[in-house]
Amino acid sequence: MRTTELVDGFRQSTPYVNAHRGKTFVVMLGGEAIDQSGCRSIINDVALLTSLGIKIVLVFGARPQFNVALEQVGITSQFHNEIRVTDNATFEVIKKVAGAMQFDITARLSTSLSSTPMSGSFLNVVSGNFVIAQPLGVDEGVDYHHSGRVRRVDVAGIRHQLDNNGIVLLGPIAASVTGESFNLTAEEIATQVALKLRADKMLGFCQEAGILDENGEAIAELMPNEAEQLLASYRNQPDACLSATVFLQAAIDACRGGVHRCHLVSYKEDGALLQELFSLDGIGTQIAPQSSEQLRSASISDITGIINLIRPLEQQGYLVRRSREQLEIEIEQFTVIERDGLIIACAALYPFADEQVGEFASLAVHPQYRDADRGSFLLRFIINKAKRAGYSHLFALTTRSIHWFLEQSFELVTVDELPEKKKALYNYERRSKVLRLDLTKLSNNR
């Protein structure tokens, strides 16, 4: 890696390191992911998150491992409504497999050799009866035996361990108040723990780079309703990735229950978890109750973010320089697009109420977000805002973006067409082109 790439990576990730510190993440590591050679790196990355001050509950599944072990001893699992019927013989095998996996994962999280990312560190990995189970019982005449569901989560106990910098490790076997044990699904445990802890994020892994669209590209973001529609279509596809479908259902339930974000990444992509959490665009699919991008009026706290956007454009001659003091005075004129705490776009509407016109100014979009037409989105918002204010025209001054404005239905006009106050401030050395948009000719839904 070149030095500049390393430095850029650190600088880009820093806001996310600060944003995630002290937050609670529930990580669901399915058996399919554990079977992969890259699982060691995933567990190292989970440990790395803890070193960055993130509180981690790691929930592991073992569905494929159970299937292999049962097949080896000649036991054929019975399923009812897609749930494994865990009879006594099946449960004896399952407990051995789950126990061995728990020790293996604990050992991996305990690694602190100089050749590993966690060199010199020591993580306290805690497992226990944090989840209390109850039996599924009998359904349609079918006895589930030792198959169960979550009855209660020891929130205080988990938080105590997290507050003491421990990683809480939970497997698919949980005890009950009667002294019995039951086989639960990792997705239910992860969802219920995330909900009860009011976790900030739930993260999972699948074979692909998240949920893919018809072109095989990862869908960056889904709302719960959209995810539900996709899930319904997956259920009719026999080759649908099981780890993706079970996480999708868990994410829908978690988001609707109050978890802010759920992320699905590939267990085959090295470092996918870190790229998803610490880069601007991520690398997988995010399921969220509302869009991670919010269009809103700017406030004083956004000044630094706005300056970071417009300063490069001012230096390149695209925008007229505005001092920080001037921006603080004019902040009420600005609208911003915020994504996960970062200001990625801004624009301003300056009023000239006496002449019932407004100026569209200071449009800036972060370089990594210029391919999604956010500039046009902001312009449409400003247009509607100007129309609500009763303005008849919107004008803009530019030296470099003339064609963009022409594409947005602006027309070139002379300096004499500017409002009198703006005309008095016109810089004849800069010689900006003046463009004007007639708002009276635009439809209300533009």
Side-chain angles (χ1 to χ4, degrees):
M1 179 181 290
R2 294 171 53 200
T3 302
T4 53
E5 293 174 342
L6 178 64
V7 171
D8 288 344
F10 268 111
R11 287 172 175 167
Q12 185 186 98
S13 65
T14 298
Y16 294 98
V17 173
N18 294 330
H20 296 332
R21 186 180 295 115
K23 300 298 176 61
T24 300
F25 293 179
V26 174
V27 180
M28 189 175 86
L29 188 62
E32 296 83 2
I34 294 173
D35 262 351
Q36 303 298 310
S37 59
C39 182
R40 292 172 65 87
S41 294
I42 293 175
I43 294 176
N44 283 343
D45 290 345
V46 169
L48 191 154
L49 296 181
T50 302
S51 73
L52 295 174
I54 299 170
K55 301 175 181 181
I56 298 292
V57 178
L58 179 59
V59 181
F60 72 89
R63 189 177 284 109
Q65 289 81 2
F66 289 166
N67 292 338
V68 171
L70 290 168
E71 184 179 347
Q72 288 175 345
V73 297
I75 296 176
T76 301
S77 288
Q78 302 298 314
F79 289 84
H80 179 65
N81 290 332
E82 300 181 351
I83 299 172
R84 191 190 305 270
V85 175
T86 312
D87 58 23
N88 290 333
T90 298
F91 198 39
E92 289 304 313
V93 175
I94 281 177
K95 285 192 291 185
K96 292 178 183 178
V97 174
M101 292 176 67
Q102 182 168 314
F103 281 115
D104 288 343
I105 294 172
T106 300
R108 185 62 193 174
L109 289 168
S110 302
T111 304
S112 59
L113 298 175
S114 59
S115 59
T116 68
M118 298 310 295
S119 173
S121 67
F122 178 78
L123 298 177
N124 188 23
V125 183
V126 184
S127 300
N129 59 340
F130 297 112
V131 174
I132 300 300
Q134 63 181 347
L136 287 175
V138 179
D139 178 39
E140 297 178 341
V142 177
D143 190 344
Y144 283 109
H145 297 284
H146 289 281
S147 295
R149 61 175 177 267
V150 175
R151 178 181 182 181
R152 187 173 68 244
V153 176
D154 181 7
V155 174
I158 294 175
R159 283 181 176 162
H160 176 73
Q161 300 300 331
L162 296 178
D163 290 343
N164 283 282
N165 300 318
I167 290 181
V168 174
L169 177 63
L170 303 175
I173 308 298
S176 72
V177 295
T178 62
E180 300 174 277
S181 297
F182 291 92
N183 175 30
L184 284 67
T185 64
E187 53 268 21
E188 187 201 3
I189 294 175
T191 303
Q192 290 303 312
V193 169
L195 290 174
K196 296 300 188 294
L197 287 178
R198 297 181 180 178
D200 299 280
K201 290 182 184 291
M202 185 170 76
L203 305 113
F205 298 86
C206 67
Q207 180 176 348
E208 307 293 346
I211 303 299
L212 306 183
D213 60 19
E214 61 275 8
N215 298 317
E217 300 291 332
I219 301 173
E221 186 173 73
L222 289 169
M223 302 297 110
N225 289 344
E226 296 171 324
E228 203 164 43
Q229 292 173 5
L230 281 173
L231 187 60
S233 67
Y234 287 162
R235 285 173 175 151
N236 297 323
Q237 300 175 17
D239 59 342
C241 178
L242 180 60
S243 55
T245 56
V246 297
F247 182 83
L248 206 54
Q249 183 61 68
I252 292 167
D253 296 338
C255 285
R256 287 177 173 167
V259 176
H260 302 308
R261 297 280 188 271
C262 296
H263 301 260
L264 183 62
V265 298
S266 172
Y267 51 66
K268 291 188 173 182
E269 179 76 22
D270 186 30
L273 180 63
L274 301 181
Q275 291 184 66
E276 176 70 6
L277 292 173
F278 298 104
S279 65
L280 286 170
D281 279 328
I283 196 173
T285 296
Q286 174 179 260
I287 300 94
Q290 59 182 4
S291 175
S292 60
E293 291 190 16
Q294 300 296 316
L295 178 73
R296 59 174 176 79
S297 298
S299 65
I300 288 294
S301 62
D302 299 318
I303 291 291
T304 300
I306 293 174
I307 288 175
N308 289 339
L309 285 178
I310 66 176
R311 281 292 181 264
L313 297 178
E314 291 172 351
Q315 293 168 359
Q316 296 168 28
Y318 284 92
L319 297 177
V320 175
R321 182 175 178 82
R322 286 177 168 81
S323 67
R324 186 182 188 94
E325 293 75 16
Q326 185 179 359
L327 286 171
E328 290 177 356
I329 295 171
E330 300 173 347
I331 193 63
E332 292 184 356
Q333 319 303 337
F334 277 80
T335 298
V336 297
I337 297 178
E338 178 185 2
R339 181 184 176 93
D340 290 335
L342 300 176
I343 304 301
I344 64 167
C346 69
L349 172 62
Y350 289 97
F352 292 84
D354 292 344
E355 299 178 59
Q356 292 298 293
V357 297
E359 179 186 5
F360 178 69
S362 297
L363 174 64
V365 180
H366 191 284
Q368 295 194 23
Y369 290 94
R370 289 175 184 167
D371 60 351
D373 211 20
R374 289 175 178 84
S376 298
F377 180 69
L378 273 169
L379 174 59
R380 288 193 295 272
F381 179 83
I382 295 295
I383 286 172
N384 289 328
K385 186 177 180 180
K387 291 172 71 174
R388 289 194 300 271
Y391 296 163
S392 61
H393 290 82
L394 195 66
F395 70 88
L397 275 68
T398 184
T399 56
R400 306 284 188 88
S401 304
I402 301 167
H403 284 192
W404 183 84
F405 280 101
L406 292 175
E407 290 170 359
Q408 309 301 320
S409 300
F410 280 75
E411 296 178 341
L412 282 167
V413 295
T414 65
V415 175
D416 290 335
E417 302 294 325
L418 289 171
E420 291 300 324
K421 291 182 179 179
K422 188 67 180 181
K423 190 189 306 182
L425 298 173
Y426 182 80
N427 186 338
Y428 283 91
E429 291 184 1
R430 183 175 170 83
R431 298 178 63 186
S432 298
K433 297 294 184 180
V434 181
L435 297 108
R436 187 175 64 181
L437 180 67
D438 188 343
L439 301 180
T440 63
K441 297 180 179 179
L442 300 179
S443 61
N444 291 326
N445 60 354
R446 176 186 171 90

